[in-house]
Amino acid sequence: MIDTSPGSLAFLLVAGLVAGAVNAAAGGGSLLVFPSLLAVGLPPLAANVTNSIAQWPGYLGIVAGVRRDLHGQGRRVLLTSVVSAVGSAVGCTLLLVLPSSVFDAVVPALVLLASGVFALQPLIRRWTAPTPGAPDRLVTLLPTVFLAAVYGGYFGGALGVILIATLSLFAHDSLVRLNALKGLLSLVVATVTVVYFAIGAPVYWPAVAVLAPTTLVGGYIGARIARRSPEAVLRAAVVLLGMTVGIYLLVTA
């Protein structure tokens, strides 16, 4: 039974704003929205597709804020955007074609994986420090971005963390410019999921109506709020919540 009370909608509104703040500081805000949707009564599959659609305005806001850092990356943007769109379409197709029981079975592992990757993001940044000026390793970059986009179309939690790790490994540029590309590719993946899921998935539209504008607003004003809290504190809170949700889903599956 889905809780449609004003209190639940207010809870989702706060979750969207906080997710925007977390995205502004460290990324991984979708890992906050997903359990919030579960908490108001949505089953995992409906929570996943609703979360994917609700995150789209936030990615749009991120791209609007970093568009200057995309200048001079035309070829890289074109190639990675194409493979991201195709990969996302594959992931969405798998989600809609396979029985919902498959998603219910794998989602605990996906939540735990996303939480683990998010927890390791500082180490990943150190391990994959990009080398500005060196040529991109397209032979490995494009297939890896494709696989990340498949994951994003199917589930999407902590997609930004996975993308920035991939780009840092195989695309040699400053982290600021690669982070801008990560935002654009996240938007590409999200756009494909919006088209797919709006047509044939169990989207809970009242939640989208609440979350979509708050993720956009959170993407702008959340940065100011996030600066008052250490990134490590925000990261620890998201990881703890993600691990708790993953273990809960694993035990109750």
PDB file of all heavy atoms in Angstrom, residues 18-45:
ATOM      1  N   VAL A  18      17.641  17.091   0.069  1.00  0.00           N
ATOM      2  CA  VAL A  18      18.872  16.567   0.661  1.00  0.00           C
ATOM      3  C   VAL A  18      19.701  15.842  -0.393  1.00  0.00           C
ATOM      4  O   VAL A  18      20.932  15.952  -0.421  1.00  0.00           O
ATOM      5  CB  VAL A  18      18.540  15.631   1.843  1.00  0.00           C
ATOM      6  CG1 VAL A  18      19.809  14.958   2.367  1.00  0.00           C
ATOM      7  CG2 VAL A  18      17.857  16.404   2.955  1.00  0.00           C
ATOM      8  N   ALA A  19      19.016  15.089  -1.275  1.00  0.00           N
ATOM      9  CA  ALA A  19      19.738  14.396  -2.350  1.00  0.00           C
ATOM     10  C   ALA A  19      20.458  15.402  -3.239  1.00  0.00           C
ATOM     11  O   ALA A  19      21.585  15.155  -3.685  1.00  0.00           O
ATOM     12  CB  ALA A  19      18.769  13.555  -3.177  1.00  0.00           C
ATOM     13  N   GLY A  20      19.826  16.543  -3.496  1.00  0.00           N
ATOM     14  CA  GLY A  20      20.484  17.588  -4.271  1.00  0.00           C
ATOM     15  C   GLY A  20      21.726  18.103  -3.575  1.00  0.00           C
ATOM     16  O   GLY A  20      22.755  18.337  -4.207  1.00  0.00           O
ATOM     17  N   ALA A  21      21.631  18.264  -2.258  1.00  0.00           N
ATOM     18  CA  ALA A  21      22.790  18.723  -1.498  1.00  0.00           C
ATOM     19  C   ALA A  21      23.919  17.706  -1.538  1.00  0.00           C
ATOM     20  O   ALA A  21      25.093  18.048  -1.696  1.00  0.00           O
ATOM     21  CB  ALA A  21      22.378  18.993  -0.047  1.00  0.00           C
ATOM     22  N   VAL A  22      23.564  16.434  -1.414  1.00  0.00           N
ATOM     23  CA  VAL A  22      24.579  15.381  -1.449  1.00  0.00           C
ATOM     24  C   VAL A  22      25.223  15.312  -2.829  1.00  0.00           C
ATOM     25  O   VAL A  22      26.441  15.161  -2.959  1.00  0.00           O
ATOM     26  CB  VAL A  22      23.953  14.022  -1.068  1.00  0.00           C
ATOM     27  CG1 VAL A  22      24.924  12.878  -1.322  1.00  0.00           C
ATOM     28  CG2 VAL A  22      23.539  14.041   0.396  1.00  0.00           C
ATOM     29  N   ASN A  23      24.414  15.434  -3.871  1.00  0.00           N
ATOM     30  CA  ASN A  23      24.967  15.429  -5.228  1.00  0.00           C
ATOM     31  C   ASN A  23      25.926  16.598  -5.431  1.00  0.00           C
ATOM     32  O   ASN A  23      26.947  16.466  -6.101  1.00  0.00           O
ATOM     33  CB  ASN A  23      23.840  15.501  -6.267  1.00  0.00           C
ATOM     34  CG  ASN A  23      23.229  14.152  -6.545  1.00  0.00           C
ATOM     35  OD1 ASN A  23      23.883  13.121  -6.428  1.00  0.00           O
ATOM     36  ND2 ASN A  23      21.956  14.141  -6.913  1.00  0.00           N
ATOM     37  N   ALA A  24      25.588  17.736  -4.851  1.00  0.00           N
ATOM     38  CA  ALA A  24      26.447  18.908  -5.000  1.00  0.00           C
ATOM     39  C   ALA A  24      27.780  18.715  -4.298  1.00  0.00           C
ATOM     40  O   ALA A  24      28.809  19.198  -4.766  1.00  0.00           O
ATOM     41  CB  ALA A  24      25.738  20.140  -4.441  1.00  0.00           C
ATOM     42  N   ALA A  25      27.778  17.991  -3.175  1.00  0.00           N
ATOM     43  CA  ALA A  25      29.005  17.839  -2.395  1.00  0.00           C
ATOM     44  C   ALA A  25      29.820  16.621  -2.790  1.00  0.00           C
ATOM     45  O   ALA A  25      31.046  16.680  -2.859  1.00  0.00           O
ATOM     46  CB  ALA A  25      28.659  17.754  -0.911  1.00  0.00           C
ATOM     47  N   ALA A  26      29.133  15.502  -3.049  1.00  0.00           N
ATOM     48  CA  ALA A  26      29.881  14.261  -3.228  1.00  0.00           C
ATOM     49  C   ALA A  26      29.298  13.338  -4.273  1.00  0.00           C
ATOM     50  O   ALA A  26      29.940  12.382  -4.681  1.00  0.00           O
ATOM     51  CB  ALA A  26      29.950  13.508  -1.880  1.00  0.00           C
ATOM     52  N   GLY A  27      28.070  13.568  -4.728  1.00  0.00           N
ATOM     53  CA  GLY A  27      27.409  12.626  -5.629  1.00  0.00           C
ATOM     54  C   GLY A  27      26.719  11.528  -4.831  1.00  0.00           C
ATOM     55  O   GLY A  27      26.898  11.397  -3.616  1.00  0.00           O
ATOM     56  N   GLY A  28      25.899  10.727  -5.504  1.00  0.00           N
ATOM     57  CA  GLY A  28      25.242   9.607  -4.831  1.00  0.00           C
ATOM     58  C   GLY A  28      23.889   9.934  -4.246  1.00  0.00           C
ATOM     59  O   GLY A  28      23.362   9.166  -3.437  1.00  0.00           O
ATOM     60  N   GLY A  29      23.300  11.068  -4.644  1.00  0.00           N
ATOM     61  CA  GLY A  29      22.000  11.448  -4.086  1.00  0.00           C
ATOM     62  C   GLY A  29      20.897  10.463  -4.392  1.00  0.00           C
ATOM     63  O   GLY A  29      19.945  10.328  -3.616  1.00  0.00           O
ATOM     64  N   SER A  30      21.010   9.731  -5.506  1.00  0.00           N
ATOM     65  CA  SER A  30      19.966   8.750  -5.846  1.00  0.00           C
ATOM     66  C   SER A  30      19.882   7.639  -4.815  1.00  0.00           C
ATOM     67  O   SER A  30      18.835   7.007  -4.655  1.00  0.00           O
ATOM     68  CB  SER A  30      20.228   8.149  -7.233  1.00  0.00           C
ATOM     69  OG  SER A  30      21.490   7.505  -7.276  1.00  0.00           O
ATOM     70  N   LEU A  31      20.982   7.403  -4.090  1.00  0.00           N
ATOM     71  CA  LEU A  31      20.962   6.385  -3.041  1.00  0.00           C
ATOM     72  C   LEU A  31      20.160   6.837  -1.831  1.00  0.00           C
ATOM     73  O   LEU A  31      19.845   6.022  -0.961  1.00  0.00           O
ATOM     74  CB  LEU A  31      22.389   6.035  -2.610  1.00  0.00           C
ATOM     75  CG  LEU A  31      23.213   5.222  -3.611  1.00  0.00           C
ATOM     76  CD1 LEU A  31      24.631   5.036  -3.098  1.00  0.00           C
ATOM     77  CD2 LEU A  31      22.559   3.875  -3.871  1.00  0.00           C
ATOM     78  N   LEU A  32      19.827   8.126  -1.758  1.00  0.00           N
ATOM     79  CA  LEU A  32      18.938   8.618  -0.707  1.00  0.00           C
ATOM     80  C   LEU A  32      17.483   8.557  -1.160  1.00  0.00           C
ATOM     81  O   LEU A  32      16.593   8.231  -0.370  1.00  0.00           O
ATOM     82  CB  LEU A  32      19.296  10.061  -0.346  1.00  0.00           C
ATOM     83  CG  LEU A  32      20.598  10.291   0.409  1.00  0.00           C
ATOM     84  CD1 LEU A  32      20.875  11.781   0.528  1.00  0.00           C
ATOM     85  CD2 LEU A  32      20.528   9.658   1.784  1.00  0.00           C
ATOM     86  N   VAL A  33      17.235   8.873  -2.425  1.00  0.00           N
ATOM     87  CA  VAL A  33      15.860   8.908  -2.924  1.00  0.00           C
ATOM     88  C   VAL A  33      15.279   7.503  -3.033  1.00  0.00           C
ATOM     89  O   VAL A  33      14.105   7.285  -2.717  1.00  0.00           O
ATOM     90  CB  VAL A  33      15.801   9.627  -4.289  1.00  0.00           C
ATOM     91  CG1 VAL A  33      14.394   9.574  -4.872  1.00  0.00           C
ATOM     92  CG2 VAL A  33      16.248  11.077  -4.130  1.00  0.00           C
ATOM     93  N   PHE A  34      16.077   6.543  -3.481  1.00  0.00           N
ATOM     94  CA  PHE A  34      15.581   5.171  -3.659  1.00  0.00           C
ATOM     95  C   PHE A  34      14.988   4.594  -2.364  1.00  0.00           C
ATOM     96  O   PHE A  34      13.836   4.137  -2.359  1.00  0.00           O
ATOM     97  CB  PHE A  34      16.696   4.281  -4.199  1.00  0.00           C
ATOM     98  CG  PHE A  34      16.287   2.848  -4.415  1.00  0.00           C
ATOM     99  CD1 PHE A  34      15.417   2.500  -5.445  1.00  0.00           C
ATOM    100  CD2 PHE A  34      16.764   1.840  -3.593  1.00  0.00           C
ATOM    101  CE1 PHE A  34      15.035   1.182  -5.645  1.00  0.00           C
ATOM    102  CE2 PHE A  34      16.394   0.525  -3.787  1.00  0.00           C
ATOM    103  CZ  PHE A  34      15.526   0.190  -4.808  1.00  0.00           C
ATOM    104  N   PRO A  35      15.714   4.599  -1.238  1.00  0.00           N
ATOM    105  CA  PRO A  35      15.104   4.084  -0.003  1.00  0.00           C
ATOM    106  C   PRO A  35      13.942   4.932   0.490  1.00  0.00           C
ATOM    107  O   PRO A  35      13.042   4.424   1.168  1.00  0.00           O
ATOM    108  CB  PRO A  35      16.258   4.074   1.001  1.00  0.00           C
ATOM    109  CG  PRO A  35      17.253   5.024   0.456  1.00  0.00           C
ATOM    110  CD  PRO A  35      17.130   4.940  -1.029  1.00  0.00           C
ATOM    111  N   SER A  36      13.936   6.225   0.163  1.00  0.00           N
ATOM    112  CA  SER A  36      12.808   7.076   0.560  1.00  0.00           C
ATOM    113  C   SER A  36      11.529   6.621  -0.142  1.00  0.00           C
ATOM    114  O   SER A  36      10.448   6.610   0.451  1.00  0.00           O
ATOM    115  CB  SER A  36      13.096   8.541   0.227  1.00  0.00           C
ATOM    116  OG  SER A  36      14.236   9.002   0.914  1.00  0.00           O
ATOM    117  N   LEU A  37      11.659   6.249  -1.410  1.00  0.00           N
ATOM    118  CA  LEU A  37      10.499   5.741  -2.154  1.00  0.00           C
ATOM    119  C   LEU A  37      10.055   4.389  -1.619  1.00  0.00           C
ATOM    120  O   LEU A  37       8.857   4.085  -1.569  1.00  0.00           O
ATOM    121  CB  LEU A  37      10.847   5.652  -3.644  1.00  0.00           C
ATOM    122  CG  LEU A  37      11.045   7.002  -4.341  1.00  0.00           C
ATOM    123  CD1 LEU A  37      11.650   6.808  -5.725  1.00  0.00           C
ATOM    124  CD2 LEU A  37       9.720   7.757  -4.448  1.00  0.00           C
ATOM    125  N   LEU A  38      11.024   3.564  -1.222  1.00  0.00           N
ATOM    126  CA  LEU A  38      10.656   2.285  -0.592  1.00  0.00           C
ATOM    127  C   LEU A  38       9.897   2.545   0.707  1.00  0.00           C
ATOM    128  O   LEU A  38       8.938   1.829   1.035  1.00  0.00           O
ATOM    129  CB  LEU A  38      11.910   1.454  -0.299  1.00  0.00           C
ATOM    130  CG  LEU A  38      12.730   0.945  -1.486  1.00  0.00           C
ATOM    131  CD1 LEU A  38      13.961   0.192  -0.979  1.00  0.00           C
ATOM    132  CD2 LEU A  38      11.881   0.037  -2.371  1.00  0.00           C
ATOM    133  N   ALA A  39      10.310   3.585   1.442  1.00  0.00           N
ATOM    134  CA  ALA A  39       9.713   3.868   2.742  1.00  0.00           C
ATOM    135  C   ALA A  39       8.252   4.283   2.634  1.00  0.00           C
ATOM    136  O   ALA A  39       7.465   4.046   3.555  1.00  0.00           O
ATOM    137  CB  ALA A  39      10.511   4.956   3.461  1.00  0.00           C
ATOM    138  N   VAL A  40       7.863   4.908   1.494  1.00  0.00           N
ATOM    139  CA  VAL A  40       6.466   5.315   1.343  1.00  0.00           C
ATOM    140  C   VAL A  40       5.615   4.217   0.708  1.00  0.00           C
ATOM    141  O   VAL A  40       4.442   4.443   0.418  1.00  0.00           O
ATOM    142  CB  VAL A  40       6.339   6.616   0.530  1.00  0.00           C
ATOM    143  CG1 VAL A  40       7.076   7.749   1.229  1.00  0.00           C
ATOM    144  CG2 VAL A  40       6.836   6.440  -0.904  1.00  0.00           C
ATOM    145  N   GLY A  41       6.219   3.047   0.495  1.00  0.00           N
ATOM    146  CA  GLY A  41       5.425   1.894   0.080  1.00  0.00           C
ATOM    147  C   GLY A  41       5.615   1.416  -1.338  1.00  0.00           C
ATOM    148  O   GLY A  41       4.950   0.457  -1.752  1.00  0.00           O
ATOM    149  N   LEU A  42       6.495   2.035  -2.126  1.00  0.00           N
ATOM    150  CA  LEU A  42       6.702   1.563  -3.494  1.00  0.00           C
ATOM    151  C   LEU A  42       7.514   0.269  -3.490  1.00  0.00           C
ATOM    152  O   LEU A  42       8.479   0.145  -2.724  1.00  0.00           O
ATOM    153  CB  LEU A  42       7.431   2.611  -4.334  1.00  0.00           C
ATOM    154  CG  LEU A  42       6.560   3.589  -5.127  1.00  0.00           C
ATOM    155  CD1 LEU A  42       5.822   4.521  -4.178  1.00  0.00           C
ATOM    156  CD2 LEU A  42       7.400   4.382  -6.103  1.00  0.00           C
ATOM    157  N   PRO A  43       7.170  -0.687  -4.333  1.00  0.00           N
ATOM    158  CA  PRO A  43       8.015  -1.875  -4.499  1.00  0.00           C
ATOM    159  C   PRO A  43       9.324  -1.488  -5.168  1.00  0.00           C
ATOM    160  O   PRO A  43       9.417  -0.424  -5.802  1.00  0.00           O
ATOM    161  CB  PRO A  43       7.174  -2.801  -5.385  1.00  0.00           C
ATOM    162  CG  PRO A  43       6.210  -1.904  -6.076  1.00  0.00           C
ATOM    163  CD  PRO A  43       5.943  -0.760  -5.153  1.00  0.00           C
ATOM    164  N   PRO A  44      10.361  -2.332  -5.065  1.00  0.00           N
ATOM    165  CA  PRO A  44      11.682  -1.946  -5.570  1.00  0.00           C
ATOM    166  C   PRO A  44      11.707  -1.517  -7.031  1.00  0.00           C
ATOM    167  O   PRO A  44      12.345  -0.521  -7.372  1.00  0.00           O
ATOM    168  CB  PRO A  44      12.524  -3.214  -5.353  1.00  0.00           C
ATOM    169  CG  PRO A  44      11.894  -3.871  -4.176  1.00  0.00           C
ATOM    170  CD  PRO A  44      10.415  -3.608  -4.321  1.00  0.00           C
ATOM    171  N   LEU A  45      11.000  -2.236  -7.921  1.00  0.00           N
ATOM    172  CA  LEU A  45      11.039  -1.885  -9.337  1.00  0.00           C
ATOM    173  C   LEU A  45      10.421  -0.510  -9.581  1.00  0.00           C
ATOM    174  O   LEU A  45      10.997   0.331 -10.285  1.00  0.00           O
ATOM    175  CB  LEU A  45      10.316  -2.941 -10.172  1.00  0.00           C
ATOM    176  CG  LEU A  45      10.262  -2.674 -11.681  1.00  0.00           C
ATOM    177  CD1 LEU A  45      11.673  -2.568 -12.261  1.00  0.00           C
ATOM    178  CD2 LEU A  45       9.463  -3.762 -12.400  1.00  0.00           C
TER     179      LEU A  45
END
